[in-house]
Amino acid sequence: MKKTIYIFSIAVIIITACQTKPKTVPVDTEAAKVAVTTLLDKYQLAWNVKDANTLISLLTEDGLFCGTDPSEFMDKKQTSDGWTQAFADTSLKLDYSVDRREIRIAADGNSAIAVEQFYMKVYSQKIPVRLIFHVVKAGENWMIDFISWSFIPKNEDIEKLNKAVE
């Protein structure tokens, strides 16, 4: 009986030791940041020139896209329809310049969170907009699978805004 236990223990040790260990591929976060920056620059340029087709091509099929209104939880088709309709109005000036951008790459290098802040003068010259993206790596390309547009008033202005909407 003791021999069986020793033989079994040695067999377990040998089998465990012989298993191949998964290779950890180092993530080049700087290259990933460059790729995400390129994607966001393409998004901003397409937005500023009202190129809905390019914008739509940057979105994943199953993404979630949130506007500034609490009711605006949209899929790709709803987002596409909204952009196409908004961009058809040539008098509407929707362009913006990013004042601040932060990108955080996930540890596995396959996704990232990006945050941009800016003023969109057509809506408000006093309340900045914060645009939040979640992007995922799809093969060699990066795609947007989440967007959230939000107005971000300064803390000292919140009381004034609450009174204004009473």
Side-chain angles (χ1 to χ4, degrees):
M1 182 76 167
K2 281 186 170 183
K3 283 184 179 181
T4 308
I5 292 174
Y6 289 128
I7 291 171
F8 181 71
S9 298
I10 291 171
V12 169
I13 292 170
I14 291 171
I15 290 171
T16 305
C18 292
Q19 289 182 349
T20 57
K21 308 232 181 333
K23 292 182 182 179
T24 32
V25 178
V27 175
D28 186 348
T29 55
E30 287 309 309
K33 278 187 180 182
V34 168
V36 171
T37 298
T38 300
L39 172 69
L40 298 180
D41 288 345
K42 187 174 182 179
Y43 176 93
Q44 181 190 1
L45 177 63
W47 181 274
N48 285 347
V49 299
K50 297 182 177 183
D51 181 355
N53 290 331
T54 296
L55 284 171
I56 295 161
S57 75
L58 303 176
L59 306 179
T60 62
E61 291 301 319
D62 60 346
L64 173 62
F65 311 103
C66 302
T68 57
D69 189 271
S71 68
E72 293 176 335
F73 278 73
M74 300 166 285
D75 61 18
K76 184 174 182 174
K77 177 159 180 11
Q78 293 165 315
T79 302
S80 169
D81 293 346
W83 286 343
T84 302
Q85 182 180 2
F87 293 165
D89 182 353
T90 56
S91 68
L92 194 57
K93 191 155 174 60
L94 295 171
D95 61 312
Y96 66 92
S97 296
V98 175
D99 297 323
R100 181 174 182 179
R101 177 184 284 165
E102 296 288 333
I103 298 171
R104 299 291 186 266
I105 305 295
D108 65 3
N110 291 317
S111 65
I113 294 287
V115 180
E116 296 180 339
Q117 285 184 195
F118 51 86
Y119 287 88
M120 189 168 262
K121 295 185 183 357
V122 69
Y123 294 116
S124 177
Q125 295 182 16
K126 298 187 184 241
I127 303 173
V129 172
R130 181 174 290 156
L131 185 52
I132 301 171
F133 298 92
H134 183 257
V135 299
V136 293
K137 195 169 185 182
E140 293 301 312
N141 297 319
W142 287 85
M143 304 282 294
I144 301 167
D145 75 342
F146 176 80
I147 299 173
S148 179
W149 288 79
S150 304
F151 287 104
I152 51 168
K154 293 180 181 173
N155 290 338
E156 62 265 18
D157 293 336
I158 292 174
E159 186 177 339
K160 294 180 232 173
L161 289 168
N162 284 334
K163 288 181 181 177
V165 295
E166 286 179 356

